[in-house]
């Protein structure tokens, strides 16, 4: 068999974005030996691209903010499908995680009196996003990496080896998780992208922190790594995914020129005063405020404009509705023939703020449009449209420990599910990474303490061979199907048939196509050897994209309602009975597809429900639930 490089660790963290790094730091601080693995270069993850900021109810800009209000906003944004316990932990712990970053060297933008400044964002009642201009993710990753280096320096001082407790394996893709004979996690197999050499990591605990799935869609803000690897690795190892039908289409991606279609235009543009107009010049969002949100949003342009300076006495502009609402509204305007020449709508900040202010507050956006589209956003509106951005669905985890149903397997960050319900609020991801990355690291370390040195789960040699054989298969299909063609066909299928608005006949058609793609995938081949061979890498990523897309399509066909990031053409309303259901995907018994089952959603604790008015809960809950709730709600 293959001569495979071997390593032994306590914890293997797959992914070096915010969630992975925060998890690794926590496990190392608990004294564990940790490997951090990243498919791309170290430091290049979606977390770096996060622009707007990290949501944390510190109350620095509006003292009325607190965890209860943040919890409420998160549940509203997710339309009550969130795991309440995750939303609670997130709201309570986010401020500490931001503070901790400052103690590790982060420097957030300041208020006039020197506190961490906070900006407005869609769905957040008060200014809440801690930020560094529009480059927050960069500061976050920079700080976490700096913390990793600081810990490595401590290790060097203590035992002469920088990498004794924390080692980074960059440009290394994990292709399979391994379990022992008892079904506990025992390690993972991957390959170095540059050489094609395989590598085995033996470890009792694995933390998945692999981010999103956007590359299954044509128009996406996601970069090449985001092929749903963690989701697929979890499924293949026997873990489950929850509510995969919920995908966030960010309302504002670039629509022109074609080469950059999908690239994100940060929500901060709207948070800082940018407005949406159709081709007739109308500020159309006023026509799209749904009933559940009517009380919190301005009815006239005058009131909306006053809000930027006086939030006490005015309601917020409808441009700051949650993302699912804004994306659907833009979609409707374009479909009704009121779109721009390139099929988007206008996002204008040029008539709203002085040019130097725009350049100061939105430096990345200014450069992005100047360089990629030759548009000066201080003088002209941008053209924008929805883009596949974020997956709310993910690996099903325990809300406190981030553990899955496979002993030793944890998931955190975007690849984990539950926290955001049917729709994520902007800024709630960066805080999610910190809160739950830390928790995953902590509990993985605790799990480790249950083993003595010789009682650790052992990998099964045949499983290692099988993983290597599976990964090598495309290289012996030299005349096989071109992986790029199959990838293209998959993207078109998901984009056109399982996109923003879902029709059952189209989703069924997509499922039929996904079945046709399976035998094609078996025949996928790439010429060239194992040394940096992108065609081979895509062939391997396709397994993950196909299985995850099947989860998305199956769940989208099953859920007969519209909620958050899932809109059914034939069931346009939210259904209180569907709110009681989580859709759970698992690998089918023969391993060739996925099974879907209904699972009751956990009952929200009464003290948390009491944070809402009964009149609001009535929009989400069934009559039977309300009969029980009535006595506890205020
Ligand atoms: P990521 O940061 O996505 O990192 C995933 C890691 O996993 C990478 O290191 C990758 O190489 C690795 N990986 C993947 N597969 C494998 C594999 N098979 N083997 C080994 N390694 C693997 N959220 C906010 O809260 N605020 C914002 O302002 C914001 N702006 C955004 C702007 C853009 C353009 C984008 C794309 C997203 C934005 N988001 C924002 C969302 C947020 O950035 C992401 O959801 C978040 O960063 C995900 O973090 P993560 O740690 O889960 O994963």
């Amino acid at each position: 068999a293959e001569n495979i490089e071997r390593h032994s660790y306590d914890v293997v963290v797959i992914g070096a974005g915010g969630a992975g790094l925060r998890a690794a730091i926590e496990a190392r601080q608990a004294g564990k030996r940790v490997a951090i693995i990243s498919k791309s270069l170290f430091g290049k993850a979606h977390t770096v691209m996060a622009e707007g900021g990290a949501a944390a109810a510190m109350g620095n800009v509006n003292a009325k903010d607190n965890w209860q209000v943040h919890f409420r906003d998160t549940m509203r944004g997710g339309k009550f499908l969130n795991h309440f316990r995750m939303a609670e932990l997130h709201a309570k712990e986010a401020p500490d995680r931001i503070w901790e970053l400052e103690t590790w060297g982060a420097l957030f933008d300041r208020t006039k009196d020197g506190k961490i400044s906070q900006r407005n964002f869609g769905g957040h009642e008060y200014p809440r996003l801690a930020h560094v201009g529009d480059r927050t993710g960069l500061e976050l990753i920079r700080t976490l990496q700096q913390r990793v280096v600081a810990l490595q320096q401590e290790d060097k001082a203590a035992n002469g080896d920088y990498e004794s407790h924390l080692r980074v394996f960059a440009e290394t893709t994990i292709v399979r998780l391994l379990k022992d004979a008892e079904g506990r996690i025992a390690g993972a197999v991957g390959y170095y992208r540059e050489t094609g050499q395989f590598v085995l990591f033996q470890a009792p605990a694995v933390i998945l922190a692999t981010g999103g799935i956007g590359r299954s869609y044509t128009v996406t803000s996601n970069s090449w790594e985001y092929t749903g690897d963690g989701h697929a690795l979890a499924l293949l190892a026997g873990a489950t995914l929850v509510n995969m039908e919920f995908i966030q289409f960010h309302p504002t991606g670039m629509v022109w020129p074609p080469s950059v279609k999908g690239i994100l235009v940060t929500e901060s543009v709207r948070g800082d005063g940018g407005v949406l107009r159709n081709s007739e010049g109308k500020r159309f969002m006023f026509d799209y405020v749904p009933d559940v949100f009517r009380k919190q949003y301005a009815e006239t342009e005058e009131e909306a404009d006053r809000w930027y300076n006086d939030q006490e006495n005015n309601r917020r502009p409808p441009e700051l509705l949650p993302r699912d609402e804004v994306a659907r509204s833009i979609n409707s305007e374009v479909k009704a023939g009121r779109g721009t020449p390139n099929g988007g709508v206008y996002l204008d900040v040029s008539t709203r703020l002085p040019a130097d202010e725009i350049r100061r507050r939105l430096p990345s956006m200014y450069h992005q449009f100047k360089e990629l589209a030759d548009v000066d956003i201080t003088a002209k509106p941008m053209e924008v449209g929805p883009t596949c951005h974020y997956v709310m669905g993910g690996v099903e985890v325990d809300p406190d420990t981030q553990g899955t149903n496979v002993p030793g397997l944890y998931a955190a960050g975007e690849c984990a599910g539950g926290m955001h319900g049917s729709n994520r609020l902007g800024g709630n991801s960066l805080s999610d990474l910190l809160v739950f990355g830390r928790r995953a690291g902590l509990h993985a370390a605790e799990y480790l303490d249950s083993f003595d040195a010789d009682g650790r789960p052992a990998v099964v040699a045949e499983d290692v061979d099988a993983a290597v054989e599976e990964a090598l298969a495309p290289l012996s299909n030299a005349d096989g199907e071109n992986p790029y063609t199959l990838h293209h066909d998959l993207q078109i299928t998901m984009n056109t048939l399982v996109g923003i608005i879902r029709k059952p006949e189209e989703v069924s058609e997509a499922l039929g196509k996904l079945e046709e793609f399976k035998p094609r995938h078996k025949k996928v081949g790439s010429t060239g050897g194992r040394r940096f061979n992108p065609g081979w890498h895509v062939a391997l990523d396709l397994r993950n994209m196909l299985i995850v897309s099947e989860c998305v399509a199956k769940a989208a066909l099953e859920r007969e309602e519209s909620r958050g990031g899932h809109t059914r053409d034939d069931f346009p309303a939210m259904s209180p009975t569907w709110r009681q259901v989580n859709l759970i995907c698992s690998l089918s018994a023969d391993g060739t597809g996925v099974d879907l089952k209904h699972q009751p959603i956990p009952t929200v604790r009464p003290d948390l429900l009491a944070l809402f008015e009964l009149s609001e809960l009535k929009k989400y809950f069934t009559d039977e639930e309300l009969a029980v709730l009535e006595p506890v709600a205020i």
Side-chain angles (χ1 to χ4, degrees), residues 15-16 18-19 39-40 47 50-53 174 226 229 390 414 427 429-430 433:
K39 194 168 168 177
S40 43
T47 303
E51 294 155 356
I174 295 297
Y226 296 94
D229 294 7
Y390 183 90
E414 186 170 343
S429 175
L430 291 189
L433 312 179

Side-chain angles (χ1 to χ4, degrees), residues 14-19 37-40 45-47 49-53 172-174 209-211 221 226 229 264 389-390 413-414 424 427-430 433:
I14 308 177
I37 304 171
S38 105
K39 194 168 168 177
S40 43
H46 267 168
T47 303
M49 294 156 78
E51 294 155 356
T172 306
T173 304
I174 295 297
T210 53
S221 65
Y226 296 94
D229 294 7
L264 195 73
H389 183 55
Y390 183 90
E414 186 170 343
R424 174 180 70 90
N428 267 2
S429 175
L430 291 189
L433 312 179

Side-chain angles (χ1 to χ4, degrees), residues 252-263:
T252 60
M254 292 179 81
V255 295
W256 190 87
S259 59
V260 301
K261 194 167 172 155
I263 290 187

Side-chain angles (χ1 to χ4, degrees), residues 192-471:
Y192 296 126
R193 299 174 68 83
E194 196 184 333
T195 58
Q197 158 83 40
F198 287 91
V199 53
L200 166 65
F201 297 92
Q202 288 167 284
V206 167
I207 299 174
L208 297 168
T210 53
I213 68 162
R215 295 310 292 189
S216 298
Y217 284 79
T218 321
V219 181
T220 178
S221 65
N222 288 192
S223 56
W224 64 267
E225 308 94 300
Y226 296 94
T227 50
D229 294 7
H231 292 77
L233 290 169
L235 266 183
L236 294 169
T240 47
L241 306 186
V242 57
N243 293 340
M244 288 301 291
E245 63 279 33
F246 295 106
I247 291 184
Q248 181 166 83
F249 292 87
H250 193 291
T252 60
M254 292 179 81
V255 295
W256 190 87
S259 59
V260 301
K261 194 167 172 155
I263 290 187
L264 195 73
V265 179
T266 175
E267 189 171 318
S268 316
V269 176
R270 284 171 285 135
D272 287 353
V275 293
L276 291 163
R277 293 186 202 281
N278 62 20
S279 59
E280 295 163 3
K282 182 174 179 196
R283 222 174 132 180
F284 58 85
M285 278 309 300
F286 289 95
D287 298 343
Y288 291 96
V289 181
D291 281 343
V292 285
F293 290 115
R294 185 129 7 232
K295 262 170 69 183
Q296 290 110 27
Y297 287 83
E299 270 159 65
T300 62
E301 290 195 30
E302 293 70 30
E303 181 181 2
D305 285 347
R306 284 196 306 268
W307 176 85
Y308 289 102
N309 295 321
D310 176 9
Q311 291 168 16
E312 290 299 308
N313 300 305
N314 298 287
R315 290 169 298 174
R316 53 194 16 245
E319 278 89 358
L320 291 180
L321 276 159
R323 290 178 174 170
D324 53 325
E325 308 290 353
V326 183
R328 270 194 301 274
S329 311
I330 293 176
N331 199 55
S332 303
E333 285 297 305
V334 174
K335 274 205 167 151
R338 294 186 291 270
T340 64
N342 296 303
V345 294
Y346 294 110
L347 172 59
D348 183 24
V349 69
S350 68
T351 57
R352 311 272 304 170
L353 290 174
D356 55 344
E357 188 73 8
I358 295 173
R359 278 191 293 264
R360 191 180 63 79
R361 288 206 212 183
L362 303 164
S364 305
M365 284 304 107
Y366 175 75
H367 288 290
Q368 181 172 314
F369 273 87
K370 199 88 192 103
E371 278 157 30
L372 301 178
D374 197 22
V375 168
D376 177 356
I377 67 167
T378 66
K380 278 208 297 199
M382 300 161 240
E383 271 185 72
V384 296
T387 179
C388 176
H389 183 55
Y390 183 90
V391 59
M392 273 72 69
V395 182
E396 193 186 14
V397 291
D398 175 88
D400 285 81
T401 66
Q402 302 293 105
T404 67
N405 61 347
V406 178
L409 184 61
Y410 298 79
E414 186 170 343
C415 78
M419 159 67 204
H420 305 285
S422 67
N423 173 53
R424 174 180 70 90
L425 295 184
N428 267 2
S429 175
L430 291 189
S431 39
D432 163 357
L433 312 179
L434 298 170
V435 168
F436 294 108
R438 173 183 160 277
R439 283 184 162 267
L442 189 70
H443 290 281
E446 265 179 35
Y447 172 75
L448 253 296
D449 294 336
S450 65
F451 295 100
D452 44 33
D454 48 7
R456 293 190 164 202
V459 299
V460 179
E462 294 79 52
D463 294 346
V464 181
D465 292 342
V468 170
E469 199 179 311
E470 178 190 30

